């Protein structure tokens, strides 16, 4: 698996990363056996970057990941987790919560050291607390060697870019903003990349939107976006391909040119993992891409900030 560097002097990480939300049962129940299998398959395939958070499955994802990583040499994986989000509508960027969260994550994950510790979904939390408590706490932890790098994550690109440029963070993870349907992250990632910030593209399948199964019922997108994605899936099927595969081909093969260091995909099944690895190198069929882009054109770049949807949650 091809590797790229996090920032100017960070660790080398695989261009395809394993997203841990699935392991928390966010999309469907995942057994420990399934979690073990997909984590081992990812490591075997050369995927060394893994992202998780206390919020995913309300700690279940970290617990499952920790069990799956038991016995794996620490140098075999680069681990990213998060602080600050603890429920659908619960954020806390205080110093005390940040320190406690890191300790709890380390215990669940069975590690002493977190490579990248990220403030989770920063646009929703208290900005003053983020700037005055959480980020300085992460700087202290980095100075002490407890964590390797400081990151921020979220959906609102203007907030992410603003905080990344004023607070000198090492990494930014944005979700659902670089895919066949929404490409707004591209310019932001190029600008941040030039200033040494590593940008990760999370959810290139739009949190299940760009799959033949369609999005989960909590998906925050607008029904017109879901309908366009369903039409794209039908066109793919007619052409004998799977929309998820095309979506991964697009996101993975155009990432580097758009300043994206790694693409973080949720996978709880080794079969999906195998397909996503194939998508890294299988050339996109131009006729398929044209058909899919035509189906998605009416909703291109229409995230739920532009076109509010009807999903059951405010966001993930
Ligand atoms: N704010 C944040 O910090 C933030 C927000 C969103 C995401 N993230 C990170 O990014 C990761 C990825 O996001 P996500 O998991 O929410 O969304 P995603 O990667 O866009 O989609 C995941 C869904 O797609 C399915 N899938 C994966 N590969 C597939 C394939 N080849 N064919 C068909 N279906 C496939 C998965 O199914 P299976 O599980 O059945 O394999 C899962 O249901 C998260 O796990 C998390 O680590 C971070």
């Amino acid at each position: 698996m091809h590797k790229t560097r996090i920032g100017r002097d960070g660790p080398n990480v695989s261009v395809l990363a394993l997203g841990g939300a699935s392991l928390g049962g966010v999309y469907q129940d995942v057994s420990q056996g399934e979690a073990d299998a997909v984590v081992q398959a990812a490591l075997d395939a050369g995927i060394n970057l893994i992202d998780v958070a206390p919020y995913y499955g309300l700690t279940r994802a970290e617990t499952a990941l920790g069990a799956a990583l038991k016995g794996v040499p620490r140098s075999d994986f680069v681990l990213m987790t998060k602080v600050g989000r603890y429920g659908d509508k619960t954020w806390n960027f205080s110093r005390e919560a940040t320190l406690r969260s890191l300790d709890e994550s380390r215990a669940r994950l069975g590690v002493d050291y977190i490579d990248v510790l990220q403030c989770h979904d920063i646009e929703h939390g208290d900005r003053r607390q983020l700037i005055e408590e959480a980020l300085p706490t992460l700087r202290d932890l980095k100075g002490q060697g407890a964590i390797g790098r400081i990151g921020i994550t979220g959906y609102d690109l203007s907030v992410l870019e603003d905080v990344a440029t004023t607070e000198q963070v090492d990494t930014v993870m944005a979700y659902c903003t670089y895919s066949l349907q929404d490409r707004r992250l591209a310019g932001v990632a190029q600008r941040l990349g030039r200033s040494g910030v590593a940008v990760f593209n999370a959810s290139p399948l739009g949190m299940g939107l760009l799959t033949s199964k369609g999005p989960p019922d909590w998906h925050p997108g607008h029904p017109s976006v879901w309908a366009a994605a369903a039409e794209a899936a039908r066109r793919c099927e007619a052409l004998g391909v799977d929309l998820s595969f095309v979506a991964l081909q697009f996101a993975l093969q155009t990432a580097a040119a758009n300043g994206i260091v790694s693409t973080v995909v949720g996978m709880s099944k080794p079969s999906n993992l195998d397909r996503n690895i194939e998508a890294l190198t299988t050339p996109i069929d131009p006729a398929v891409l044209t058909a899919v882009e035509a189906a998605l054109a009416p909703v291109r770049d229409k995230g739920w900030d532009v076109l509010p949807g009807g999903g059951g949650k405010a966001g993930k």
Side-chain angles (χ1 to χ4, degrees):
M1 171 85 49
H2 184 65
K3 304 260 190 326
T4 47
R5 199 170 277 291
I6 296 186
R8 297 196 172 111
D9 57 357
N12 276 320
V13 294
S14 50
V15 293
L16 171 61
L18 180 64
S22 288
L23 305 183
V26 166
Y27 292 96
Q28 72 260 328
D29 281 343
V30 174
S31 69
Q32 188 59 50
E34 289 169 314
D36 293 346
V38 82
V39 170
Q40 192 54 54
L43 295 168
D44 290 347
I47 292 177
N48 72 338
L49 183 61
I50 306 178
D51 176 67
V52 71
Y55 170 55
Y56 299 150
L58 302 177
T59 72
R60 272 197 292 151
E62 282 192 336
T63 302
L65 180 61
L69 288 171
K70 204 163 178 210
V72 177
R74 185 63 186 84
S75 55
D76 285 6
F77 56 92
V78 173
L79 190 54
M80 310 199 278
T81 190
K82 310 189 183 85
V83 294
R85 184 167 192 183
Y86 306 106
D88 288 344
K89 295 198 163 94
T90 309
W91 280 266
N92 186 343
F93 288 119
S94 70
R95 180 175 178 85
E96 190 266 328
T98 301
L99 291 170
R100 190 180 57 235
S101 182
L102 171 61
D103 277 347
E104 290 172 358
S105 289
R106 285 194 290 212
R108 284 190 290 267
L109 291 162
V111 298
D112 296 328
Y113 176 79
I114 299 294
D115 297 275
V116 184
L117 191 58
Q118 309 161 99
C119 295
H120 197 169
D121 288 342
I122 60 167
E123 68 267 32
H124 296 294
D126 178 331
R127 186 73 47 82
R128 186 203 58 76
Q129 211 179 39
L130 173 78
I131 306 291
E132 293 180 8
E133 298 195 45
L135 287 170
T137 304
L138 297 198
R139 275 182 217 116
D140 292 347
L141 290 164
K142 187 178 170 184
Q144 293 157 14
I147 66 171
R149 301 220 139 37
I150 297 169
I152 51 174
T153 81
Y155 180 72
D156 186 322
L157 295 173
S158 61
V159 172
L160 289 170
E161 188 169 16
D162 183 36
V163 173
T165 44
T166 52
E167 293 298 316
Q168 298 171 328
V169 303
D170 302 304
T171 71
V172 167
M173 180 180 294
Y175 68 102
C176 292
T177 46
Y178 189 73
S179 72
L180 282 172
Q181 186 257 325
D182 190 334
R183 304 190 190 166
R184 292 174 293 167
L185 176 60
V188 176
Q190 284 165 359
R191 286 194 292 280
L192 288 175
R194 280 194 290 275
S195 63
V197 175
V199 176
F200 303 111
N201 173 34
S203 311
L205 297 173
M207 299 193 305
L209 175 75
L210 300 172
T211 63
S212 49
K213 193 171 152 190
D217 59 4
W218 50 259
H219 193 278
H222 190 269
S224 64
V225 177
W226 299 346
E231 175 56 23
R234 275 192 291 277
R235 291 187 191 186
C236 282
E237 200 184 340
L239 291 164
V241 290
D242 182 55
L243 174 60
S244 313
F245 190 70
V246 184
L248 263 303
Q249 285 177 300
F250 172 81
L252 292 166
Q253 294 179 24
T254 62
N258 287 290
I260 291 160
V261 168
S262 185
T263 300
V264 190
V265 189
M267 302 172 263
S268 58
K269 296 188 187 73
S271 56
N272 282 343
L273 176 88
D274 291 345
R275 288 292 284 158
N276 298 347
I277 289 168
E278 260 179 67
L280 268 166
T281 50
T282 309
I284 305 186
D285 180 335
V288 170
L289 187 60
T290 302
V292 170
E293 289 193 315
L296 293 171
V299 297
R300 170 76 78 86
D301 294 344
K302 291 204 172 17
W304 53 92
D305 50 336
V306 179
L307 199 55
K313 287 194 184 184
K316 209 167 75 66

